Amino acid sequence: MRGRSRQTLLLLGLTVVSGMVDATAYLGLGHVFVVNMTGNVVILGLALGGAADFTTAGCLVALAAFMLGTVAAGWLHGRPRPLRGVTLAVESALLALAAAVAAREGGTPYPAVAVLGLAMGMRTASVRLGGVSDITTTVITSTLAWLGANLSVAAGGGAGRRLGAIVLLLAGAATGALLTLRVGAAAALLAAVVVQVAVTLAYVLAPGRPAASGS
């Protein structure tokens, strides 16, 4: 498999995981986002404006952990031989840890939120530092903007990849919501771990040379 195709499949798979994780965090861990930091900033504004049913603590934990994750990704990217596989392995381990933490009955959701924010901060920064612009795996605002701005020529130039990312983020969020509401947050996060590991193994073990390495 060619390096470009491998990278695209990896990023699309990780987009599914992002949707699952964010839906699980919002529905099962105190109405907080761990992927979509824009949403957390808006929630903070709502809380500061006096809106009911919105709290700041979880959002602040997620934002701080996310930023710490971006710092970690920057450090890994600056190593002499940055390896995307290393970052993927660390993300998988953090997701598994978050699932274990979320499984504790009666505990505060903030530790799980922190671990997930750390993982998703690493994810977002790693993709950015790897020079990928059309599939960020975590946000679709820029993707939607690109599709709209290039509507007349959307048949080519990466439109398929971008549209696929939008659909897969939606599918991941729907899956995460379904599992969280019917089984629980821990089970939903465990499912996300399974998808993450499967995608990582497919990327690492697929024949062919990987695309340009990120962190």
Side-chain angles (χ1 to χ4, degrees):
M1 187 183 298
R2 296 178 60 184
R4 178 67 176 179
S5 298
R6 292 180 67 184
Q7 176 175 270
T8 297
L9 291 176
L10 170 68
L11 296 176
L12 290 175
L14 295 180
T15 300
V16 175
V17 176
S18 295
M20 295 176 68
V21 168
D22 226 13
T24 300
Y26 190 82
L27 293 175
L29 299 175
H31 288 182
V32 60
F33 295 106
V34 293
V35 178
N36 179 16
M37 291 300 114
T38 302
N40 283 330
V41 173
V42 172
I43 290 176
L44 284 174
L46 293 174
L48 292 174
D53 301 324
F54 292 99
T55 59
T56 61
C59 293
L60 291 173
V61 169
L63 285 163
F66 188 92
M67 286 303 300
L68 183 60
T70 64
V71 172
W75 183 84
L76 285 172
H77 187 79
R79 298 304 89 196
R81 294 181 61 187
L83 297 175
R84 180 170 286 136
V86 173
T87 303
L88 290 170
V90 172
E91 289 174 10
S92 299
L94 289 172
L95 289 178
L97 176 60
V101 172
R104 296 186 307 172
E105 296 292 337
T108 173
Y110 298 153
V113 167
V115 175
L116 291 172
L118 180 64
M120 294 300 102
M122 289 185 64
R123 158 82 56 76
T124 303
S126 295
V127 173
R128 293 287 188 182
L129 291 171
V132 180
S133 59
D134 58 345
I135 305 176
T136 67
T137 78
T138 53
V139 295
I140 62 169
T141 302
S142 57
T143 304
L144 288 168
W146 185 95
L147 284 172
N150 293 273
L151 188 60
S152 60
V153 291
R161 294 193 302 273
R162 291 174 169 88
L163 184 59
I166 295 170
V167 172
L168 289 175
L169 186 67
L170 175 64
T175 302
L178 180 66
L179 290 172
T180 300
L181 294 174
R182 296 197 176 184
V183 187
L189 291 175
L190 185 58
V193 173
V194 172
V195 176
Q196 170 100 4
V197 171
V199 170
T200 299
L201 289 176
Y203 174 76
V204 173
L205 299 178
R209 185 174 63 85
S213 62
S215 55

